[in-house]
Amino acid sequence: MKYLGWIDKLYDTYENCISEVGKRRTDKKIPLLPVGHSTQNAQIEVVIDIEGNFRRARILEKEEQVTIIPVTEDSASRGNGNFPHALCDKFIYVAGDYLEYVQNEKSEDYFNKYIEQLEDWCSSMHKNKKVCAVFDYLKKKKLIKDLVEQKILTCDESGNLKKDIKLGTVSQIDAFIRFKVEDTENPSSETAVWLDNEIYKSYIEYYLNKEKGTELCYIKGVSIPYSEKHPSKVRNSGDKAKLISANDESGFTYRGRFSDKKQAVIVSYEVSQKAHNALRWLIDIQGYRFGNPKDGEEVIVAWGTNNQKVPPLLADTDDIFGEEEDSLIIVSTQKEYAQRLNKAIAGYGCELDTNADIVIMGLNSATTGRLSITYYKELKGPDFLNRIEKWHNTCSWRHCYKRILDGTDEKGKNKYKTIEFIGAPAPKEIVRAAFGVERNEKLEVDDKLIKSTIERLLPCIIDGARLPYDIVNSAVNRASNPISMNYFNWEKTLSIACSLLKKYRNDKFKKEEWDMALDENQNDRSYLFGRLLAIAQEIEAWAISITGEKRDTNAERLMHQFKLHPYKTWGIITNKLRPYIARLGGKNILVELMTKVNSRISFEDFTSLKSLEDSYILGYYCQRQVFIDEKNRRIADKNEKKLENIN
């Protein structure tokens, strides 16, 4: 069934990556979860011995709280009902003495159901001795007593647990407990029950043998135990939204379509578990997240179904070059850039051959309970690489806004440096450049706007769709207003606007290509006006630097007006330039250049009342960059001469 292709691909991915199941990762990411397992943040870790005797306990730091736990189908999606997890859980389930410390009449029912369930596992043919040790300890009903004596928990004068004591963000009475079991006869064995492969295997065999009802699985095409409650926590451990859900039998879910939820789709428990665990794992290790998790974050992930390495989908070009030995070398021409990009893409091509299946998937939730697939595409390896290469080629420009880690200062704090790179900007930076509002010296964008714009940019990368003009126009307009933001943000917006404009015109006119270098033979009216603006800015900036002034030039202040009314505004700018030209004195090469560029514009074009096209920003950027490069070259020559004199 075509609409279930995504779950089929995820199931295949899980099967192809079976060696990664439960395997610890060096980057502290969650491993690929076994079937019947989920994750939970634990606040307290209890250590017991193999005989079921308490040893010690400790409160967990935030960064070590994520815990893999065995779950039942009901407990994985529990709300307020009494559905205990199989091994690790909250106090109300695992502490037999809960009622002695917290006034809750229902706590006994919770504990009884939990301990019966655990006993059933421990008495089955798939039991595990460490799980049995946990059972032996918990049936003594003294967990909270031990933790109070260890001063992990705090009681008031009447002997009840204080509700206002928090372990992180959770009240101590609602803390989640995980266990370690120390086996003195086998000291090299894994003590953490949440990382023990033997316990994973034990639970999977135990739980799958308990499944009884069978139906035809739409994915595997065989009649096997099916699932009615599919996993949540796809995007993060607090995510309640589900991709497959049909629990509204009395509402509007089936009205006019089905009389029973099985008529819509049936997915087996095993397939559902493997597909959801694979998706969760992929999102964690290589997904892109946008927005606040509390409000429903947008997630986009691309992967190879055989766990092949794929180029980063929503990163800038520098990240594709990032693992090359010469990643810090700056290329200066379009040809060099294309050669380097081809080399980087070819590196991925070794793994992504014509048989490689690549899947790109976007997820978002409109409500807290339902997760939608907002984008889905399956491609073959070479096709995927070609589309990524085209995006980075047609959207390339010279940027100098990226900050990377550069060691630490004397106080141990991270230091960052700004690097220059040629390539396509990351989509997230495109959104900031086009729609960002400057706050605390950073460009910030509303979560909903960033998510919706990323969704619109994704087809431009994957499907080769034309860049939406409103994004291009917004970036150009913001770059045309340099006094509205600080220099760093404006410089970033300017180069990204040039990237987008180049990409847009390339897509629209097919043959049109704008070079990153200054084109002195270009006779486009807007391009030439852009050059004039850059020259006027350079003359004034040079003149005021002589007197040590630091302020915006008239060209910068009038840039937006210049775009709308070039003829009228150019007259104002040239009038204001006269005292600065006089200050520079003599025969100035910038004035000569200005006259030369001016002479290339015909009288009709020059006096036309038409506003400038967006291409003016390219002429402005390229001419301005020539001045910046010349200045940097003079500084470098000067420093070189100083070193020669010292030596």
Side-chain angles (χ1 to χ4, degrees), residues 265-278:
V265 65
I266 298 173
V267 179
S268 68
Y269 177 77
E270 181 195 357
V271 170
S272 174
Q273 285 285 309
K274 289 184 176 179
H276 282 87
N277 287 349

PDB file of all heavy atoms in Angstrom, residues 265-278:
ATOM      1  N   VAL A 265      -6.397   0.428   8.869  1.00  0.00           N
ATOM      2  CA  VAL A 265      -5.041  -0.109   8.730  1.00  0.00           C
ATOM      3  C   VAL A 265      -4.754  -1.036   9.912  1.00  0.00           C
ATOM      4  O   VAL A 265      -5.246  -0.817  11.019  1.00  0.00           O
ATOM      5  CB  VAL A 265      -3.991   1.026   8.667  1.00  0.00           C
ATOM      6  CG1 VAL A 265      -3.919   1.799   9.963  1.00  0.00           C
ATOM      7  CG2 VAL A 265      -2.615   0.483   8.302  1.00  0.00           C
ATOM      8  N   ILE A 266      -3.998  -2.079   9.655  1.00  0.00           N
ATOM      9  CA  ILE A 266      -3.525  -2.960  10.730  1.00  0.00           C
ATOM     10  C   ILE A 266      -2.024  -3.112  10.559  1.00  0.00           C
ATOM     11  O   ILE A 266      -1.536  -3.511   9.495  1.00  0.00           O
ATOM     12  CB  ILE A 266      -4.192  -4.354  10.670  1.00  0.00           C
ATOM     13  CG1 ILE A 266      -5.705  -4.222  10.853  1.00  0.00           C
ATOM     14  CG2 ILE A 266      -3.594  -5.263  11.740  1.00  0.00           C
ATOM     15  CD1 ILE A 266      -6.436  -5.528  10.641  1.00  0.00           C
ATOM     16  N   VAL A 267      -1.316  -2.762  11.604  1.00  0.00           N
ATOM     17  CA  VAL A 267       0.137  -2.910  11.601  1.00  0.00           C
ATOM     18  C   VAL A 267       0.505  -3.794  12.783  1.00  0.00           C
ATOM     19  O   VAL A 267       0.020  -3.583  13.905  1.00  0.00           O
ATOM     20  CB  VAL A 267       0.837  -1.539  11.725  1.00  0.00           C
ATOM     21  CG1 VAL A 267       2.352  -1.713  11.741  1.00  0.00           C
ATOM     22  CG2 VAL A 267       0.425  -0.621  10.585  1.00  0.00           C
ATOM     23  N   SER A 268       1.343  -4.780  12.532  1.00  0.00           N
ATOM     24  CA  SER A 268       1.703  -5.704  13.608  1.00  0.00           C
ATOM     25  C   SER A 268       2.521  -4.989  14.678  1.00  0.00           C
ATOM     26  O   SER A 268       3.148  -3.954  14.423  1.00  0.00           O
ATOM     27  CB  SER A 268       2.500  -6.877  13.043  1.00  0.00           C
ATOM     28  OG  SER A 268       3.758  -6.429  12.587  1.00  0.00           O
ATOM     29  N   TYR A 269       2.497  -5.581  15.879  1.00  0.00           N
ATOM     30  CA  TYR A 269       3.234  -4.992  17.004  1.00  0.00           C
ATOM     31  C   TYR A 269       4.713  -4.886  16.681  1.00  0.00           C
ATOM     32  O   TYR A 269       5.344  -3.852  16.910  1.00  0.00           O
ATOM     33  CB  TYR A 269       3.022  -5.856  18.245  1.00  0.00           C
ATOM     34  CG  TYR A 269       3.797  -5.375  19.456  1.00  0.00           C
ATOM     35  CD1 TYR A 269       3.365  -4.280  20.181  1.00  0.00           C
ATOM     36  CD2 TYR A 269       4.969  -6.020  19.847  1.00  0.00           C
ATOM     37  CE1 TYR A 269       4.073  -3.826  21.282  1.00  0.00           C
ATOM     38  CE2 TYR A 269       5.677  -5.574  20.952  1.00  0.00           C
ATOM     39  CZ  TYR A 269       5.233  -4.480  21.664  1.00  0.00           C
ATOM     40  OH  TYR A 269       5.949  -4.026  22.744  1.00  0.00           O
ATOM     41  N   GLU A 270       5.265  -5.946  16.111  1.00  0.00           N
ATOM     42  CA  GLU A 270       6.707  -5.966  15.818  1.00  0.00           C
ATOM     43  C   GLU A 270       7.071  -4.889  14.786  1.00  0.00           C
ATOM     44  O   GLU A 270       8.028  -4.132  14.972  1.00  0.00           O
ATOM     45  CB  GLU A 270       7.102  -7.347  15.278  1.00  0.00           C
ATOM     46  CG  GLU A 270       8.582  -7.465  14.967  1.00  0.00           C
ATOM     47  CD  GLU A 270       8.883  -8.681  14.107  1.00  0.00           C
ATOM     48  OE1 GLU A 270       7.954  -9.445  13.804  1.00  0.00           O
ATOM     49  OE2 GLU A 270      10.047  -8.839  13.724  1.00  0.00           O
ATOM     50  N   VAL A 271       6.296  -4.779  13.708  1.00  0.00           N
ATOM     51  CA  VAL A 271       6.587  -3.779  12.672  1.00  0.00           C
ATOM     52  C   VAL A 271       6.453  -2.371  13.229  1.00  0.00           C
ATOM     53  O   VAL A 271       7.298  -1.496  12.987  1.00  0.00           O
ATOM     54  CB  VAL A 271       5.648  -3.969  11.458  1.00  0.00           C
ATOM     55  CG1 VAL A 271       5.777  -2.795  10.496  1.00  0.00           C
ATOM     56  CG2 VAL A 271       5.961  -5.274  10.745  1.00  0.00           C
ATOM     57  N   SER A 272       5.383  -2.155  13.993  1.00  0.00           N
ATOM     58  CA  SER A 272       5.159  -0.829  14.565  1.00  0.00           C
ATOM     59  C   SER A 272       6.312  -0.425  15.475  1.00  0.00           C
ATOM     60  O   SER A 272       6.828   0.701  15.405  1.00  0.00           O
ATOM     61  CB  SER A 272       3.844  -0.826  15.352  1.00  0.00           C
ATOM     62  OG  SER A 272       3.672   0.396  16.011  1.00  0.00           O
ATOM     63  N   GLN A 273       6.727  -1.370  16.329  1.00  0.00           N
ATOM     64  CA  GLN A 273       7.823  -1.083  17.255  1.00  0.00           C
ATOM     65  C   GLN A 273       9.116  -0.780  16.506  1.00  0.00           C
ATOM     66  O   GLN A 273       9.813   0.199  16.793  1.00  0.00           O
ATOM     67  CB  GLN A 273       8.038  -2.283  18.183  1.00  0.00           C
ATOM     68  CG  GLN A 273       6.995  -2.422  19.262  1.00  0.00           C
ATOM     69  CD  GLN A 273       7.168  -1.414  20.371  1.00  0.00           C
ATOM     70  OE1 GLN A 273       8.253  -1.272  20.916  1.00  0.00           O
ATOM     71  NE2 GLN A 273       6.113  -0.693  20.706  1.00  0.00           N
ATOM     72  N   LYS A 274       9.439  -1.615  15.540  1.00  0.00           N
ATOM     73  CA  LYS A 274      10.703  -1.434  14.817  1.00  0.00           C
ATOM     74  C   LYS A 274      10.702  -0.153  14.003  1.00  0.00           C
ATOM     75  O   LYS A 274      11.694   0.582  13.962  1.00  0.00           O
ATOM     76  CB  LYS A 274      10.964  -2.654  13.923  1.00  0.00           C
ATOM     77  CG  LYS A 274      11.336  -3.900  14.718  1.00  0.00           C
ATOM     78  CD  LYS A 274      11.680  -5.073  13.815  1.00  0.00           C
ATOM     79  CE  LYS A 274      12.150  -6.265  14.652  1.00  0.00           C
ATOM     80  NZ  LYS A 274      12.468  -7.445  13.840  1.00  0.00           N
ATOM     81  N   ALA A 275       9.587   0.135  13.339  1.00  0.00           N
ATOM     82  CA  ALA A 275       9.528   1.340  12.510  1.00  0.00           C
ATOM     83  C   ALA A 275       9.622   2.598  13.365  1.00  0.00           C
ATOM     84  O   ALA A 275      10.370   3.527  13.039  1.00  0.00           O
ATOM     85  CB  ALA A 275       8.228   1.342  11.698  1.00  0.00           C
ATOM     86  N   HIS A 276       8.877   2.642  14.462  1.00  0.00           N
ATOM     87  CA  HIS A 276       8.908   3.832  15.316  1.00  0.00           C
ATOM     88  C   HIS A 276      10.260   3.996  16.006  1.00  0.00           C
ATOM     89  O   HIS A 276      10.759   5.112  16.141  1.00  0.00           O
ATOM     90  CB  HIS A 276       7.786   3.760  16.358  1.00  0.00           C
ATOM     91  CG  HIS A 276       6.432   4.100  15.811  1.00  0.00           C
ATOM     92  ND1 HIS A 276       5.606   3.167  15.222  1.00  0.00           N
ATOM     93  CD2 HIS A 276       5.773   5.279  15.724  1.00  0.00           C
ATOM     94  CE1 HIS A 276       4.485   3.751  14.826  1.00  0.00           C
ATOM     95  NE2 HIS A 276       4.557   5.037  15.112  1.00  0.00           N
ATOM     96  N   ASN A 277      10.838   2.876  16.435  1.00  0.00           N
ATOM     97  CA  ASN A 277      12.164   2.971  17.073  1.00  0.00           C
ATOM     98  C   ASN A 277      13.225   3.433  16.073  1.00  0.00           C
ATOM     99  O   ASN A 277      14.131   4.202  16.423  1.00  0.00           O
ATOM    100  CB  ASN A 277      12.563   1.611  17.665  1.00  0.00           C
ATOM    101  CG  ASN A 277      11.769   1.289  18.923  1.00  0.00           C
ATOM    102  OD1 ASN A 277      11.075   2.144  19.462  1.00  0.00           O
ATOM    103  ND2 ASN A 277      11.860   0.065  19.397  1.00  0.00           N
ATOM    104  N   ALA A 278      13.118   2.960  14.834  1.00  0.00           N
ATOM    105  CA  ALA A 278      14.075   3.394  13.810  1.00  0.00           C
ATOM    106  C   ALA A 278      13.934   4.888  13.544  1.00  0.00           C
ATOM    107  O   ALA A 278      14.926   5.612  13.440  1.00  0.00           O
ATOM    108  CB  ALA A 278      13.851   2.603  12.515  1.00  0.00           C
TER     109      ALA A 278
END
